[in-house]
């Protein structure tokens, strides 16, 4: 059984998106084919489409993390104006170009369905595996469907028995997403040093497993403290506030905007 994972999202990480909040017509979507369908499938898919069509959701990105073995992780949570989470994503890309994308949909902050896309980014042809998981109000899996897409050729989703190992993976990913958003557990952050790249200065935070790099302003008082006496902060953890940046050249990175000692 999937346990309810509460995402205690940090208020300081919330960046309001000034989007037009007027009602808009729901875009038409090619109907996905599931064989055989279970009773209630349409309600799940209609809810998913409504969430995807909303323009008033606040996007909360996590820091971009790199594991010591080289793969990267980043998550996003999407909240309605009342602060209720409706959707979240978790992306994992390894050094060989293998990408896993988890998309979770929540109803009243309880997991309703999950979509997993497994793809190899370095293949010249369009090829990936896609799986849907559906859950009841008690967080028990009620259906699972999967399909492969090769060279863009669409095929129906075929039903398969829910797998206990896959269900555990979904639960683990939900907990990981929560920890990433809150910078806790395996994503707790300690000062690790400085670096330079792309003519910019970066400060690195992390632990024995994960690290993250952020561009920074040299005049930041905490940064100055790190530079003067890094050993003094060796056993201290921090909560990071940041902002995503994408330059016209296509360069993407995150900028440190605030730092608080825990």
């Amino acid at each position: 059984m999937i346990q309810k994972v509460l995402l205690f999202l940090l208020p300081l990480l919330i960046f309001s998106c000034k989007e037009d909040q007027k009602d808009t017509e729901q875009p038409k979507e090619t109907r996905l084919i599931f064989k055989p369908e279970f009773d209630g499938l349409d309600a799940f898919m209609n809810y998913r489409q409504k969430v995807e069509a909303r323009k008033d959701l606040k996007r909360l990105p996590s820091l971009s993390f790199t594991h010591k073995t080289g793969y990267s992780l980043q998550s996003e949570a999407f909240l309605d104006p009342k602060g209720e989470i409706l959707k979240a994503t978790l992306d994992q890309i390894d050094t060989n170009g293998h990408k896993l994308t988890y998309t979770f949909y929540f109803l009243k902050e309880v997991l309703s369905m999950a979509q997993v896309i497994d793809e190899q980014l370095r293949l010249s042809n369009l090829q990936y595996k896609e799986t849907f998981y559906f859950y009841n109000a008690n967080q028990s899996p009620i259906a699972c469907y999967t399909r492969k897409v090769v060279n863009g050729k669409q095929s129906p989703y075929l039903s398969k028995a829910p797998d206990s190992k896959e269900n555990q993976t979904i639960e683990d990913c939900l907990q990981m997403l929560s920890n990433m958003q809150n910078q806790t557990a395996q994503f707790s952050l300690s000062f690790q040093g400085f670096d330079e790249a792309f003519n910019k200065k970066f400060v690195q935070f992390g632990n024995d497993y994960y690290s993250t790099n952020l561009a920074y302003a040299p005049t930041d008082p905490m940064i100055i403290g790190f530079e003067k006496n890094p050993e003094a902060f060796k056993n201290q953890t921090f909560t990071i506030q940041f902002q995503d940046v994408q330059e016209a050249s296509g360069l993407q990175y995150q900028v440190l905007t605030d730092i608080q000692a825990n």
Side-chain angles (χ1 to χ4, degrees), residues 52 63 139 210:
E52 293 294 343
L63 287 163
Q139 301 288 265
Y210 292 97

Side-chain angles (χ1 to χ4, degrees), residues 147-244:
R147 72 169 179 175
K148 288 185 178 180
V149 175
V150 180
N151 290 323
K153 184 178 180 181
Q154 303 295 315
S155 58
Y157 296 87
L158 302 179
S159 176
K160 73 183 194 74
D163 182 275
S164 59
K165 184 177 180 180
E166 291 177 78
N167 290 328
Q168 184 61 52
T169 298
I170 295 294
E171 184 170 357
D172 292 344
C173 287
L174 277 173
Q175 186 61 62
M176 178 179 290
L177 190 151
S178 178
N179 293 340
M180 291 178 70
Q181 289 285 330
N182 291 286
Q183 301 173 17
T184 56
Q186 71 267 51
F187 299 103
S188 61
L189 302 170
S190 297
F191 169 68
Q192 293 188 319
F194 296 97
D195 198 2
E196 290 191 28
F198 311 108
N199 296 318
K200 300 182 186 299
K201 292 184 177 182
F202 291 86
V203 58
Q204 181 171 298
F205 294 91
N207 50 56
D208 291 340
Y209 301 97
Y210 292 97
S211 62
T212 185
N213 291 281
L214 303 103
Y216 66 91
T219 55
D220 187 295
M222 187 68 78
I223 293 295
I224 294 174
F226 290 152
E227 292 176 329
K228 288 183 176 179
N229 189 9
E231 288 298 315
F233 301 93
K234 185 176 181 181
N235 298 317
Q236 178 70 59
T237 60
F238 300 90
T239 296
I240 302 299
Q241 187 174 354
F242 63 95
Q243 202 161 20
D244 288 337

Side-chain angles (χ1 to χ4, degrees), residues 9-175:
L9 303 171
L10 292 170
L12 62 88
L13 291 178
I14 297 179
F15 295 96
S16 295
C17 300
K18 296 182 179 179
E19 305 265 8
D20 185 354
Q21 297 186 12
K22 294 181 180 180
D23 291 337
T24 57
E25 290 186 7
Q26 185 173 317
K28 292 183 178 180
E29 180 181 64
T30 303
R31 189 177 188 279
L32 304 179
I33 300 174
F34 294 83
K35 294 184 177 181
E37 294 189 4
F38 67 90
D39 187 29
L41 173 64
D42 285 345
F44 281 94
M45 301 311 294
N46 289 339
Y47 178 71
R48 171 178 176 265
Q49 188 175 356
K50 288 179 180 178
V51 171
E52 293 294 343
R54 292 188 65 159
K55 304 297 183 182
D56 61 342
L57 301 183
K58 292 180 180 179
R59 169 182 171 269
L60 276 68
S62 74
L63 287 163
S64 179
F65 291 94
T66 301
H67 190 263
K68 64 179 182 180
T69 59
Y71 70 81
S72 62
L73 282 173
Q74 188 167 19
S75 67
E76 293 182 327
F78 297 85
L79 278 64
D80 68 11
K82 296 180 180 179
E84 183 175 307
I85 185 170
L86 300 185
K87 175 185 172 182
T89 62
L90 175 63
D91 289 329
Q92 176 179 317
I93 306 176
D94 69 18
T95 55
N96 295 317
H98 179 213
K99 181 180 181 181
L100 288 169
T101 301
Y102 297 85
T103 304
F104 306 99
Y105 297 90
F106 303 88
L107 180 60
K108 299 186 183 301
E109 300 200 332
V110 173
L111 181 65
S112 173
M113 60 186 295
Q115 177 190 30
V116 182
I117 296 178
D118 185 334
E119 58 187 321
Q120 178 54 254
L121 300 178
R122 295 182 182 176
L123 290 179
S124 58
N125 60 336
L126 176 62
Q127 181 175 323
Y128 61 90
K129 178 182 177 183
E130 185 178 16
T131 307
F132 275 100
Y133 303 88
F134 299 90
Y135 302 89
N136 61 21
N138 295 321
Q139 301 288 265
S140 296
I142 56 176
C144 178
Y145 293 84
T146 189
R147 72 169 179 175
K148 288 185 178 180
V149 175
V150 180
N151 290 323
K153 184 178 180 181
Q154 303 295 315
S155 58
Y157 296 87
L158 302 179
S159 176
K160 73 183 194 74
D163 182 275
S164 59
K165 184 177 180 180
E166 291 177 78
N167 290 328
Q168 184 61 52
T169 298
I170 295 294
E171 184 170 357
D172 292 344
C173 287
L174 277 173
Q175 186 61 62

